[in-house]
Amino acid sequence: MAANDDFILELLIKHGLIQPSDLEDARRASSQNGHGPVEELVRNGLVTDLDILRTTAAEAGVDMIEKIDAVPDDAVNAVPRQLAFRLNVMPISIEGRHMRVALADPFNFDAIDTLTKELRFDIDPMVAPPDQITSALKRYYGSASDVLKSLTEGFEGDELQVKEGKVEDSTENESDAHIIKLVNLMILEANRLRASDIHLEPLEKRFRLRYRIDGVLQVMTDPPKRLQSAIISRLKIMSNMSIAEKRLPQDGRIQMRANEGKTAIDLRVSTIPTNHGESICMRILDKTSLQLGLTELGYLSDDQATMERILSLPDGIFLVTGPTGSGKSTTLYACLNIMNKPDRKIITVEDPVEYQLNGINQVPVNADVGMTFPAALRAMLRQAPNIIMVGEIRDLETAAIAINASLTGHLVFSTLHTNDAPSAVTRLVDIGVKKFLVASSVRAIMAQRLVRRVCAACTEPYEPTEAELRSLNLKPEQIEQANFRKGRGCEKCRGTGCKGRMGIFEICVLDDEIRRMINEGLGVSAIRQRARDLGMRTLREDGIRKVLAGMTTPDEVISATMGDKE
C-alpha cells in the first residue's frame, strides 16, 4: 500500500476506529514481533482490511467498491493490458470522457496522472480490495500466452492423442480442461485485440497462430506442436464439424459469450487439409460494425450526402465493387441498417448469412437443395419486398433477375468484383447483360478499399518524405494546408501507430450522358472521364483527402491504390 503506516494510523484514530491506547499497544507489540503497527491491529482483530480501505476512501472523498463484478468491454479495451498490470489498476466503466478506475490506494497520484496522460480520459478513482483488483486483472486481461506457458510446463514430455474428440493421456480430465481453456482464451484474446481473423496453421515443426488486426496478420505465441490435434479437434467440436473427416474442407460456426454472458462472439470457421494437418481460419464477425453510420465508415460530408441521395432512391441498382476484404459487405449491411424502417420490407440472399439483422428477412444460399442465387431471387420477388440485397452478382442469370427486379420498382443492392467503379459497367456487359438494361437499371456504382486509421492515442505531427509526396502528386497549396499525422506507437495500438480502419471511396452516379455512352458501347475510359466531369473522385484522390486531414498515412493510401495512377 502506497500510504504509509503513520498516515493510516492517524486516519483510524480520526475516524474513531481505534483509540490512542490501542495504537500504543500495537506499536509495543510490533517492536517485539517485527510486524508493523497496522498489521498488528489487523492481526488482533481491532480493524479489518476493509475498515482501512473504507477509511482511506472516505478521507480521499472517493467511492469504494468491495467486489468487482461485470466490467464492460469498452472499459477493458480502453486500458492496455501492460499498463493495467504495471499500475495495478482495474477499469470499471466509461461515461463520456470520464473513466472510473479501481485502485488499492486512492492517494496513488502517480498512477492516476499516468492514466490521465496515457488514456486521455478524466480519471475518477475508486478504492477496491487488492485481491479483487488482482482477480479482475487475471479474469479480464488473461491472455493465451499465459495459458500456453502453463500448458508447456504441465505437459512437458507428455504425448497427447485425440480419439473421438477427447484428449487422452494419463491426466485425461486435466488435459481436457487445459485444451478447452486454451482454445477459449485464444478466441477471447483475439476479440479483445479487435482481430478480424484467427489463423491456426500446421507447419512442419510448429503450429503457427496469427491474428489479423486492422487487415495485417500479426504473429502470436505459437501453441505447442504436440497439442495441434487436440486444439483442432476441440475447435471442430465447437463448430459442429465432423472430427473424423480430415481429408475434405469443412465449414462451421462458433457462438460464444464473454464478459459473464454479456458479450456475444460469433465466428465463422473454415478448415482445409494441408501437408502437416488441417489449417483452421476463424473469422470473427463484429456485429458492432452493423451499427456504424456513414461517418464512422469513413465518408466525408460530400460523399455522405451523395450516399444519402442514393439510399433514398425508389428503385434501381446500387453496386459496391472491390476485392475480397475491402469492406463491401460491411458497407451494404450498414446501408440496410440505415434503411431498416417499419414501413419497408427488406429481403437479402447471401452465401452465407454472416450477420443476423433484426427486422430483415435473410435467405441463405444452399446449392445442395437447389436454393441458388437465381432461385432465391425469383422466390423473393413474390414476397413483395421494397428493398433487395443480393450478396454477389456472379453470373448472367443472377444479374438478369436483379436487373428485372430493379426495373419493376425495387431498390437492389449487390456487390461485384472490379477494380474501380466505371469498370462495373463493362463487367455486367461481359457476363451477358444487354447494354440497354445496364443503362436503364444501374443508378450508382461505388468502389472502395480499406486503409488503417492513425491511432488516436499516440498521433503526432508528421513530415512526409519527398518520395511519399511525389507518389501522392500533391500540389504546393495542398502541402501548405495539410495536417499530416502519424502514430508513434503505443500500448493501445500494439506499437503499430494505427488502430481501426476506414474506407476510401469512388462513387460514380450515372446521368443521361453516361447512359447514352453505355448504350453506344463506349469504353471505360470515356465513362470514367464523364464521371470525373460530374465530380467523381478516384480512390486515390479520396485517400489523399484523408491523408491531408490527418486521418491516415500516405503509406496506407499508396499501398491501397497502387493501380490508381490518376
Side-chain angles (χ1 to χ4, degrees):
M1 187 172 289
N4 61 43
D5 277 6
D6 289 337
F7 177 67
I8 293 173
L9 292 169
E10 289 177 10
L11 291 182
L12 293 175
I13 293 174
K14 176 181 176 181
H15 288 266
L17 294 176
I18 61 171
Q19 301 300 318
S21 57
D22 297 327
L23 175 56
E24 293 301 322
D25 292 339
R27 288 188 188 281
R28 195 178 305 111
S30 65
S31 64
Q32 296 174 356
N33 55 32
H35 299 140
V38 174
E39 184 180 353
E40 193 65 35
L41 290 171
V42 174
R43 287 166 62 88
N44 292 334
L46 294 175
V47 294
T48 65
D49 289 331
L50 282 178
D51 290 332
I52 296 171
L53 285 173
R54 290 192 189 99
T55 302
T56 54
E59 185 68 17
V62 301
D63 294 332
M64 177 173 171
I65 179 171
E66 294 188 9
K67 185 176 182 183
I68 301 176
D69 288 319
V71 178
D73 285 347
D74 62 342
V76 175
N77 294 334
V79 182
R81 179 179 185 274
Q82 292 182 11
L83 184 65
F85 275 93
R86 177 163 61 87
L87 300 178
N88 196 36
V89 299
M90 184 64 206
I92 301 298
S93 64
I94 293 177
E95 293 180 9
R97 294 304 308 161
H98 289 264
M99 175 185 288
R100 302 179 77 197
V101 176
L103 307 91
D105 177 18
F107 297 99
N108 188 353
F109 300 117
D110 287 341
I112 297 170
D113 289 343
T114 301
L115 289 171
T116 303
K117 291 175 183 176
E118 292 281 341
L119 306 180
R120 300 186 180 182
F121 278 95
D122 294 326
I123 302 300
D124 298 331
M126 305 178 68
V127 175
D131 60 336
Q132 284 291 313
I133 294 175
T134 301
S135 63
L137 286 172
K138 290 180 180 179
R139 189 162 69 248
Y140 288 100
Y141 288 96
S143 69
S145 301
D146 300 331
V147 180
L148 283 171
K149 184 178 178 182
S150 65
L151 278 168
T152 305
E153 294 169 353
F155 290 135
E156 194 68 43
D158 290 343
E159 291 297 328
L160 299 181
Q161 296 180 344
V162 176
K163 182 177 181 182
E164 296 181 355
K166 293 190 71 178
V167 181
E168 296 193 337
D169 69 348
S170 58
T171 57
E172 179 182 309
N173 292 334
E174 184 179 350
S175 301
D176 280 348
H178 276 302
I179 295 299
I180 290 169
K181 186 176 183 182
L182 171 60
V183 169
N184 288 347
L185 282 179
M186 279 182 189
I187 295 172
L188 293 172
E189 183 80 346
N191 185 65
R192 188 182 70 80
L193 294 174
R194 302 172 300 100
S196 58
D197 305 297
I198 305 171
H199 296 264
L200 282 162
E201 301 156 315
L203 305 178
E204 184 178 3
K205 294 182 179 179
R206 52 187 290 220
F207 189 34
R208 184 167 64 180
L209 171 64
R210 295 190 289 176
Y211 294 161
R212 190 184 298 277
I213 302 173
D214 293 334
V216 179
L217 280 171
Q218 298 188 19
V219 177
M220 312 305 290
T221 304
D222 291 342
K225 177 70 173 176
R226 61 182 175 276
L227 301 183
Q228 175 178 311
S229 297
I231 292 170
I232 291 173
S233 290
R234 172 62 187 167
L235 287 169
K236 290 171 79 172
I237 290 170
M238 291 173 71
S239 49
N240 293 318
M241 297 181 191
S242 169
I243 62 171
E245 182 55 77
K246 300 180 181 179
R247 301 164 299 172
L248 296 173
Q250 296 187 67
D251 293 305
R253 199 160 190 152
I254 295 175
Q255 291 182 312
M256 294 177 59
R257 301 202 74 84
N259 194 14
E260 299 187 356
K262 294 189 176 182
T263 304
I265 303 175
D266 203 1
L267 302 99
R268 199 176 76 193
V269 186
S270 169
T271 69
I272 189 169
T274 69
N275 283 351
H276 303 291
E278 291 175 283
S279 176
I280 293 185
C281 174
M282 292 177 278
R283 182 177 181 189
I284 301 175
L285 305 177
D286 182 10
K287 294 185 179 180
T288 60
S289 64
L290 305 183
Q291 308 301 322
L292 296 178
L294 296 178
T295 303
E296 289 83 2
L297 291 176
Y299 290 93
L300 297 181
S301 56
D302 52 351
D303 285 343
Q304 185 172 337
T306 302
M307 282 297 295
E308 288 170 352
R309 288 198 303 272
I310 293 170
L311 298 182
S312 65
L313 293 172
D315 54 29
I317 293 181
F318 173 53
L319 294 172
V320 181
T321 75
T324 301
S326 59
K328 300 187 299 296
S329 296
T330 299
T331 296
L332 287 183
Y333 277 123
C335 290
L336 291 181
N337 198 54
I338 291 170
M339 296 186 297
N340 188 10
K341 305 286 175 57
D343 61 339
R344 296 171 179 170
K345 179 162 185 174
I346 303 175
I347 305 182
T348 73
V349 53
E350 306 168 57
D351 183 20
V353 174
E354 291 186 348
Y355 300 96
Q356 297 176 2
L357 303 173
N358 290 330
I360 293 179
N361 302 278
Q362 296 173 271
V363 180
V365 167
N366 188 348
D368 293 339
V369 296
M371 180 61 86
T372 59
F373 271 112
L377 266 172
R378 290 192 191 94
M380 285 161 55
L381 293 175
R382 293 192 286 271
Q383 294 281 313
N386 301 105
I387 299 165
I388 295 170
M389 187 188 91
V390 184
E392 182 184 346
I393 292 180
R394 301 177 178 177
D395 51 40
L396 174 59
E397 192 175 9
T398 306
I401 297 171
I403 285 173
N404 287 333
S406 71
L407 295 173
T408 53
H410 303 88
L411 184 58
V412 180
F413 293 81
S414 191
T415 67
L416 207 60
H417 288 283
T418 62
N419 289 329
D420 59 12
S423 298
V425 171
T426 54
R427 172 65 179 149
L428 289 173
V429 174
D430 286 345
I431 65 176
V433 180
K434 291 181 172 57
K435 297 185 185 73
F436 77 91
L437 288 176
V438 175
S440 57
S441 61
V442 177
R443 296 286 183 265
I445 307 162
M446 182 178 73
Q448 73 174 69
R449 301 289 188 276
L450 292 177
V451 295
R452 293 188 293 173
R453 293 179 183 268
V454 173
C455 175
C458 62
T459 179
E460 60 186 14
Y462 160 67
E463 194 69 35
T465 64
E466 288 294 328
E468 289 172 334
L469 294 175
R470 282 198 304 272
S471 296
L472 294 177
N473 196 24
L474 295 176
K475 299 174 183 177
E477 58 269 23
Q478 290 178 304
I479 298 175
E480 289 177 8
Q481 300 174 3
N483 178 28
F484 296 111
R485 301 194 73 82
K486 199 170 190 176
R488 66 177 178 274
C490 65
E491 295 278 355
K492 295 187 75 171
C493 62
R494 293 174 56 84
T496 62
C498 298
K499 185 176 181 184
R501 289 191 288 176
M502 65 180 173
I504 55 175
F505 307 100
E506 176 179 288
I507 306 175
C508 174
V509 179
L510 278 65
D511 70 343
D512 291 339
E513 180 63 20
I514 293 179
R515 293 191 178 92
R516 181 191 63 77
M517 291 178 174
I518 296 171
N519 278 321
E520 292 178 2
L522 297 182
V524 174
S525 298
I527 296 172
R528 182 183 292 110
Q529 186 55 53
R530 174 59 183 170
R532 296 293 301 277
D533 294 341
L534 293 172
M536 182 190 82
R537 293 183 185 84
T538 65
L539 289 165
R540 176 158 291 189
E541 287 170 344
D542 190 45
I544 289 171
R545 291 200 299 166
K546 288 161 185 173
V547 169
L548 298 176
M551 300 166 71
T552 187
T553 63
D555 284 345
E556 285 293 310
V557 172
I558 292 168
S559 62
T561 60
M562 286 297 290
D564 186 355
K565 301 300 182 186
E566 297 184 31

